[in-house]
Amino acid sequence: MLKKVLCVDDDTISLTISQLLLKRTGFALDVDTVIDGSEALDYFEKLFSEEADPSAAAPELILLDINMPVMNGWEFLQEYDPRFRDRLPNTHIVILSSTIDPEDFALAKQYPVVAQFISKPLSVENLEELKDNPVMKPLFS
């Protein structure tokens, strides 16, 4: 079980479904939510300003939507990668999106912090796949 997951999505229904599924399946103990990339960056800035050990308090997984207003998932990754990736080595990102654009799948591979790309809506099957992902598997052993 993961101790914490951060869901980044502008769709409140998707956030609610993800939050319930993550908790009810025992995938995550705690689930935080924000509605766009800008709020997610603020979340990590706050983590570093308030926590004595930000790496220990950080989510192990970020479920990131791509298409959001204010700051989309790609813009978030462009900011997160240089600012936080090395400082939070145990935090991994999974893109959770309804996109079918092959360019999005190719772009996701350019970010080493992105462990997987899965299609919405989040499901029990997706969570089982995540547990078997080579990057995520050690977190469930």
Side-chain angles (χ1 to χ4, degrees):
M1 174 185 295
L2 300 180
K3 65 178 182 197
K4 189 184 295 183
V5 173
L6 174 65
C7 296
V8 185
D9 198 327
D10 63 312
D11 181 351
T12 56
I13 293 171
S14 288
L15 283 176
T16 302
I17 290 169
S18 295
Q19 195 171 32
L20 288 172
L21 189 62
L22 290 162
K23 286 184 176 181
R24 287 191 179 160
T25 59
F27 190 89
L29 184 61
D30 190 23
V31 181
D32 291 336
T33 61
V34 295
I35 60 167
D36 62 51
S38 178
E39 282 193 13
L41 289 175
D42 290 345
Y43 175 95
F44 288 103
E45 288 291 343
K46 184 177 178 184
L47 185 77
F48 275 89
S49 69
E50 294 181 358
E51 294 292 334
D53 185 359
S55 186
E60 292 136 312
L61 177 64
I62 302 169
L63 291 175
L64 178 66
D65 187 24
I66 295 173
N67 299 310
M68 299 175 285
V70 183
M71 178 182 272
N72 68 34
W74 300 127
E75 293 165 329
F76 168 77
L77 279 169
Q78 288 171 351
E79 291 287 323
Y80 177 90
D81 196 60
R83 291 170 61 189
F84 300 110
R85 181 175 53 119
D86 291 341
R87 295 161 66 190
L88 298 172
N90 299 320
T91 298
H92 306 286
I93 296 176
V94 169
I95 294 177
L96 178 62
S97 179
S98 56
T99 187
I100 56 169
D101 186 344
E103 288 184 27
D104 287 332
F105 292 94
L107 187 55
K109 291 179 181 173
Q110 294 179 14
Y111 292 95
V113 72
V114 175
Q116 196 165 327
F117 197 118
I118 56 180
S119 296
K120 279 184 178 181
L122 189 62
S123 67
V124 172
E125 292 80 14
N126 295 141
L127 295 179
E128 291 303 317
E129 281 180 34
L130 278 176
K131 287 180 183 178
D132 287 334
N133 179 297
V135 173
M136 299 298 297
K137 198 170 193 158
L139 300 173
F140 294 96
S141 300

